[in-house]
Amino acid sequence: MRLWLKALIILFVGFSLCLISVHIFLNLKGKDLLIQKLEEATNHKVTVGSLTTAFPINIVIKDLRIKDLLTINKAYASLGLIDLSRRTLGLTLLKLDHPELILEKKAAPAPKAVDPATPGEANPPQNSEPKPVAPPAPVSKPFIFPTFYIDRFIVNEGAFTFVDKISEG
């Protein structure tokens, strides 16, 4: 009986130390890690006011801003203890206060107008030098969302804006 009790105490102390170390890591490096990952995923400038944690596994983010895309005054996420053992990210609660999401559809480029006074591409001048070829633009990797679920999702006074730009020609 004493052996089981010692094993349970060691397991509890080990689990508690792991949980405390996760909190310390998130409070020290979580904000920088969140900014880095969001900038990689969205290709926009990201600013975060503060990121704090609370026991058992709750994260509070204040003043999250992704330039020209998203603004959230306060985000609260709560993970369940059972969710840590799964290979998916599970949130028991995600609460967003005053989020503002802006989606923008890019305008199609306007067609070039051809001036009849200048020679066209079909009749280039005879003494012209070949134009240098520009290197191809780097291709960004598509962002793949990880598998996750949310038990409760609460949005307080959110706004959604869609901007459809029309090309001018």
Side-chain angles (χ1 to χ4, degrees):
M1 186 68 149
R2 292 184 138 209
L3 183 62
W4 285 103
L5 184 60
K6 286 182 182 179
L8 285 175
I9 290 173
I10 291 172
L11 184 66
F12 177 75
V13 168
F15 182 73
S16 297
L17 287 175
C18 289
L19 196 59
I20 290 170
S21 63
V22 166
H23 280 279
I24 291 171
F25 174 77
L26 286 177
N27 281 320
L28 293 177
K29 298 287 184 182
K31 180 178 171 181
D32 297 330
L33 185 63
L34 178 68
I35 290 171
Q36 175 191 358
K37 293 300 181 182
L38 285 176
E39 283 180 348
E40 287 175 7
T42 61
N43 293 326
H44 291 283
K45 174 128 176 71
V46 176
T47 58
V48 175
S50 67
L51 184 142
T52 56
T53 61
F55 284 104
I57 305 174
N58 301 323
I59 299 172
V60 179
I61 302 169
K62 291 184 180 177
D63 297 323
L64 172 64
R65 300 190 191 290
I66 302 175
K67 185 175 181 184
D68 299 329
L69 186 65
L70 177 69
T71 301
I72 299 175
N73 287 353
K74 182 178 176 184
Y76 175 85
S78 177
L79 250 57
L81 293 177
I82 298 172
D83 301 330
L84 292 176
S85 64
R86 298 183 182 184
R87 293 183 182 207
T88 61
L89 174 64
L91 299 175
T92 55
L93 173 65
L94 178 61
K95 183 179 177 183
L96 305 176
D97 287 334
H98 299 87
E100 183 178 340
L101 176 65
I102 301 169
L103 291 180
E104 184 174 314
K105 182 179 176 185
K106 304 270 184 195
K112 293 181 180 179
V114 178
D115 188 9
T118 59
E121 290 293 324
N123 299 324
Q126 297 295 334
N127 58 0
S128 68
E129 296 178 10
K131 295 180 181 177
V133 178
V139 178
S140 63
K141 296 184 292 186
F143 177 70
I144 300 173
F145 284 100
T147 304
F148 70 98
Y149 68 91
I150 301 171
D151 286 339
R152 290 185 298 158
F153 182 57
I154 301 170
V155 177
N156 290 330
E157 298 184 23
F160 175 75
T161 305
F162 179 73
V163 179
D164 188 6
K165 292 189 175 180
I166 300 173
S167 64
E168 297 178 14

